[in-house]
Amino acid sequence: MSDAITPAETAQHPDAPALFDTMATMRAMRRLRPDPVPDELLERLIQAAVWGPSGGNMQRYEYVLVTDPAVMAELAPLWKRCVDAYLATTGKHAPEGMDEAAYARMVAAIEYQRDHFAETPALVVPCYRFPPPRLDQEGLEASAAALGPAATATMAATQERFTALAEGSCVYPGVQNLLLAARGLGLAANITIWHLMLEDEWKAALGIPDDMRTFAAIPVGWPLGRFGPVRRRPVADVLHRDRW
């Protein structure tokens, strides 16, 4: 295996498209200026998300875009509760392999965002409503024959997870497009799912229908800091060729 190369080195390769530089410098930027973001730019972010692939080309996504300071102020206490719950549990310790000082800086940024959430210029909440399955007995029998008894039993036992992953696969490609577009436009953004700890309250505050699932809460604004190279594990450490 060749020596590890950094994201920045990959992006600077003479044959690398500009998109590589965008991806190599797309940090999670949590410190935002309170200045408003023009509607034109925010709609371009949603357009980028809509361009993302959707499973079966169903395109059943919806996006809630919050820019009203009064609504943001209503959401701020919910955000604080979710962040505090995260920092008290999963976020209490640095991930394995992460420098404690670096993690402390990340936590400081999380706390800054928590304490200034009401000043967030824009928030995007991607939603998706998966359609009810259209099944018939003949199709179910053909599916069971194709999978075999063991796999059919496993599918039945893991249907909830399968459905969640199917929905996510319809939403998150668009979310990644949105994050890339934000970086390309010089906007800071970061994806979080902490709101799911209080999803019913978030949905009530935003008038989201009960049967619609939410998949992220993405604060967007002009960055207070500067974009820079991301720090990620070397490809050689995560790549398995042909087999594990």
Side-chain angles (χ1 to χ4, degrees):
M1 190 72 70
S2 60
D3 292 339
I5 54 177
T6 67
E9 290 171 333
T10 301
Q12 292 166 6
H13 189 280
D15 295 329
L19 177 62
F20 275 57
D21 185 62
T22 299
M23 292 187 291
T25 57
M26 198 173 71
R27 288 177 175 171
M29 303 287 279
R30 297 180 174 89
R31 291 185 171 91
L32 307 178
R33 287 159 46 189
D35 311 60
V37 177
D39 283 345
E40 176 192 358
L41 294 187
L42 294 172
E43 289 182 9
R44 290 179 71 182
L45 298 186
I46 304 304
Q47 176 63 82
V50 168
W51 282 331
S54 174
N57 199 29
M58 289 182 288
Q59 303 186 41
R60 294 174 66 90
Y61 38 68
E62 309 280 348
Y63 294 89
V64 177
L65 173 61
V66 180
T67 57
D68 186 337
V71 177
M72 207 72 74
E74 185 179 354
L75 296 175
L78 297 179
W79 183 272
K80 182 181 187 306
R81 289 168 61 194
C82 293
V83 172
D84 288 350
Y86 168 78
L87 292 177
T89 53
T90 305
K92 192 172 185 178
H93 305 286
E96 183 179 352
M98 186 174 187
D99 177 77
E100 289 288 346
Y103 187 65
R105 290 192 296 271
M106 189 178 85
V107 169
I110 291 171
E111 292 174 336
Y112 179 94
Q113 188 176 56
R114 175 198 64 192
D115 298 341
H116 294 80
F117 188 82
E119 302 165 17
T120 302
L123 181 76
V124 180
V125 180
C127 305
Y128 202 86
R129 182 191 286 115
F130 212 61
R134 294 184 292 180
L135 304 174
D136 55 63
Q137 189 60 35
E138 181 182 1
L140 290 171
E141 291 174 358
S143 174
L147 293 176
T152 298
T154 299
M155 277 294 297
T158 60
Q159 188 60 45
E160 184 176 352
R161 178 173 183 266
F162 186 89
T163 300
L165 290 173
E167 288 179 321
S169 70
C170 294
V171 177
Y172 290 126
V175 169
Q176 182 68 3
N177 270 12
L178 185 152
L179 296 173
L180 287 166
R183 173 65 188 91
L185 294 170
L187 290 165
N190 71 288
I191 178 174
T192 74
I193 60 168
W194 296 332
H195 78 289
L196 293 175
M197 290 184 270
L198 295 172
E199 185 181 26
D200 288 345
E201 293 183 52
W202 281 78
K203 288 170 68 172
L206 295 173
I208 298 172
D210 290 341
D211 63 343
M212 183 70 74
R213 295 181 187 268
T214 64
F215 285 82
I218 308 170
V220 178
W222 302 109
L224 275 173
R226 293 183 295 178
F227 293 101
V230 299
R231 295 179 177 87
R232 299 291 185 265
R233 295 170 61 191
V235 170
D237 288 359
V238 300
L239 176 62
H240 306 270
R241 290 189 179 274
D242 299 324
R243 290 179 175 82
W244 186 272

